Amino acid sequence: MKYFLLYIKQTLRFVLKPMSFIPAIVMMLLIFNFSGQDGDTSSELSYRVGVEVLTVTNDVLDKGWTSAHISELSEFYQFYIRKIAHFTEYLLLAISVAFPLYVYGLRGFPLVLVAGFICVGYACLDEYHQSFISGRSPQKRDVLIDSCGVLTGIVITRIIGWTGRMTIFRPLAYKPKKKKGSRNN
């Protein structure tokens, strides 16, 4: 029975481990979809997000803003909303790329290099992709903002991985070695 359970456990790891890359693929498709929007559609989406955020802010903080003022503020903050979206989507991409690499045993500086190369490379390809979309253009500033999100995501993954190994999974990772010649009763 012991060997059967071990076989089941190893089979599940063999099947489930590669599936840990699915969130990264989903994030890449989502980013590609956002980049495929023409300039007007993308601006409208940023505007609507701004209106929603400012409406919630108005309700929570009881600012007393009119809908015309919220609309004006949303137009003013649209640039910042777009840049925060860039940062956030690449932060999530970096986490979804770095976590599976961490699960496969990549740690430390190699993790930063491999995950960073994948994500920043995707950011460059994404900006190149935007050069083919009407109303959009590639910008080095966006790649820089994306890279900051990537670095932050990788650091978060490393902190979570290190914290998990030192706390939750410590008994699994650091089993005490039995000394030769001593008897444990």
Side-chain angles (χ1 to χ4, degrees):
M1 184 69 175
K2 174 182 167 183
Y3 294 108
F4 177 72
L5 292 175
L6 184 62
Y7 173 77
I8 296 292
K9 181 178 176 181
Q10 288 178 339
T11 304
L12 283 174
R13 279 189 182 164
F14 179 76
V15 171
L16 294 178
K17 236 176 158 180
M19 293 177 76
S20 64
F21 284 101
I22 289 176
I25 293 167
V26 168
M27 274 308 300
M28 287 178 172
L29 290 172
L30 186 68
I31 291 169
F32 185 82
N33 186 33
F34 282 137
S35 295
Q37 296 175 339
D38 62 56
D40 293 335
T41 306
S42 180
S43 294
E44 178 64 27
L45 179 61
S46 299
Y47 172 78
R48 283 187 283 145
V49 167
V51 167
E52 289 298 320
V53 168
L54 291 168
T55 301
V56 169
T57 302
N58 183 37
D59 293 343
V60 170
L61 300 178
D62 198 26
K63 293 284 193 179
W65 294 334
T66 63
S67 48
H69 185 65
I70 289 173
S71 176
E72 184 180 307
L73 285 174
S74 181
E75 286 182 30
F76 177 76
Y77 289 119
Q78 187 173 0
F79 172 81
Y80 302 105
I81 291 168
R82 294 171 78 86
K83 300 312 164 192
I84 289 170
H86 266 272
F87 181 88
T88 305
E89 63 190 12
Y90 278 90
L91 177 131
L92 294 174
L93 176 64
I95 290 171
S96 64
V97 166
F99 238 31
L101 294 174
Y102 190 89
V103 167
Y104 273 94
L106 201 57
R107 306 273 196 281
F109 194 66
L111 174 69
V112 174
L113 283 178
V114 172
F117 180 77
I118 291 169
C119 295
V120 172
Y122 192 77
C124 293
L125 289 173
D126 181 49
E127 289 302 314
Y128 179 70
H129 168 241
Q130 285 183 16
S131 68
F132 298 105
I133 308 300
S134 75
R136 305 288 295 266
S137 61
Q139 296 189 2
K140 293 176 186 173
R141 175 182 40 201
D142 286 347
V143 174
L144 180 66
I145 291 168
D146 298 343
S147 299
C148 291
V150 166
L151 182 62
T152 305
I154 293 170
V155 167
I156 288 170
T157 303
R158 290 202 58 209
I159 289 170
I160 290 172
W162 182 84
T163 305
R165 280 188 316 160
M166 294 300 133
T167 57
I168 299 169
F169 300 115
R170 186 175 183 91
L172 300 174
Y174 301 105
K175 292 182 181 177
K177 296 181 179 178
K178 294 182 181 178
K179 295 180 183 178
K180 290 184 178 179
S182 65
R183 293 184 179 177
N184 294 336
N185 292 342

